[in-house]
Amino acid sequence: VPDSADVARRVIAELVRAGYVAGDRLPSERQLAAELGVGRSVVREALRSLSLLGVLELRRGDGTYLAAVPGESVHRATELGRLMGPRRIRDLTTVSADLEAVMAALAAERRTDATLRQLDANQRELGRSLDRPQVLISLHRDFHALVWAAGANQVLTQVLGGICSLLDHSFGRAVEAETDRAWIARDHAIVLEAIRYRDRVNARAAMAVHMNTVSGRLSAHPAGEANAGVR
């Protein structure tokens, strides 16, 4: 039986496939449940989770709409991220790993020379910042945002932005706790080279490996424990 995280991932995939844009109305819970072959309660929980990410707007009595991610929603997601337990963090990293890999493949196909120059500059600065955790965290976040921009998919960008806001606190604490942060630069370099040569297959695979490593670091340094942290 699929859980709400799996259903949320399938809803996102359908939004991407159907080409939804901000302001579009989603099918009803009943329709989504029928299309996905799951119960309405699971769909309801999945939609609620996506609304907390700022991806969807639930309008009482009017339905569910795809929404842009305003600054207030990102701030709220960041604050909620401070309260999440290991299971919810695990669910979010599972979803984000799949979507980040898809976005990396799109970036390899669609990137511009201008975006590539920005990614190169980010990589150079990241290599000089391994001993500065706060700067490194910011550069890591910027790298992923540049990949999303290169991928040019509004729905995936909205979803990933919300998820990253929720995971930001946990990831930051984990990076601060790490003594060896060189893995971030190594992972990014491999993703970047695949994007440079427009290699969709390897871009997707390299991002999947990177996100798997991030997930492992989050598990090794769960937020809330003494001296914990990673992002």
Side-chain angles (χ1 to χ4, degrees):
V1 178
D3 60 16
S4 61
D6 180 59
V7 172
R9 188 161 58 242
R10 291 163 64 183
V11 168
I12 293 164
E14 178 57 25
L15 296 179
V16 172
R17 186 198 65 77
Y20 277 70
V21 297
D24 285 350
R25 191 175 189 274
L26 273 66
S28 67
E29 284 182 7
R30 185 188 301 276
Q31 289 175 283
L32 286 171
E35 291 174 8
L36 298 174
V38 298
R40 289 183 63 181
S41 62
V42 182
V43 170
R44 188 176 302 115
E45 184 179 348
L47 295 181
R48 187 180 298 115
S49 296
L50 290 173
S51 73
L52 289 174
L53 294 174
V55 176
L56 301 180
E57 181 183 353
L58 306 182
R59 302 179 187 174
R60 187 180 298 276
D62 189 29
T64 304
Y65 292 79
L66 182 64
V69 184
E72 183 177 341
S73 293
V74 172
H75 174 73
R76 179 178 60 176
T78 301
E79 293 305 308
L80 286 171
R82 298 176 184 275
L83 307 176
M84 290 194 307
R87 180 177 177 182
R88 180 51 60 89
I89 290 173
R90 197 161 51 244
D91 288 345
L92 284 172
T93 53
T94 298
V95 173
S96 66
D98 290 346
L99 301 182
E100 289 274 12
V102 171
M103 191 62 104
L106 290 174
E109 177 183 303
R110 301 174 179 177
R111 62 89 174 157
T112 63
D113 289 343
T115 304
L116 188 61
R117 286 193 293 271
Q118 290 177 297
L119 285 165
D120 281 332
N122 176 279
Q123 182 68 11
R124 288 192 296 272
E125 185 62 27
L126 189 146
R128 295 192 289 262
S129 304
L130 297 179
D131 60 344
R132 296 182 290 167
Q134 291 304 315
V135 175
L136 185 62
I137 291 164
S138 179
L139 288 168
H140 177 273
R141 188 185 302 118
D142 290 346
F143 174 84
H144 284 266
L146 286 168
V147 172
W148 306 341
N153 186 292
Q154 181 188 36
V155 175
L156 287 181
T157 297
Q158 289 177 225
V159 175
L160 287 168
I163 291 175
C164 281
S165 295
L166 281 168
L167 294 176
D168 205 47
H169 175 67
S170 299
F171 182 76
R173 287 176 60 86
V175 166
E176 290 175 354
E178 292 262 308
T179 55
D180 176 14
R181 306 181 185 102
W183 63 272
I184 300 177
R186 289 194 299 267
D187 283 5
H188 285 196
I190 297 170
V191 174
L192 175 54
E193 287 310 295
I195 291 174
R196 184 188 312 282
Y197 293 105
R198 302 189 186 279
D199 186 340
R200 287 177 53 93
V201 174
N202 280 326
R204 182 169 188 154
M207 183 63 84
V209 169
H210 172 57
M211 293 306 299
N212 184 61
T213 304
V214 169
S215 179
R217 292 304 202 278
L218 286 168
S219 297
H221 302 282
E225 291 187 1
N227 302 318
V230 174
R231 151 127 193 213

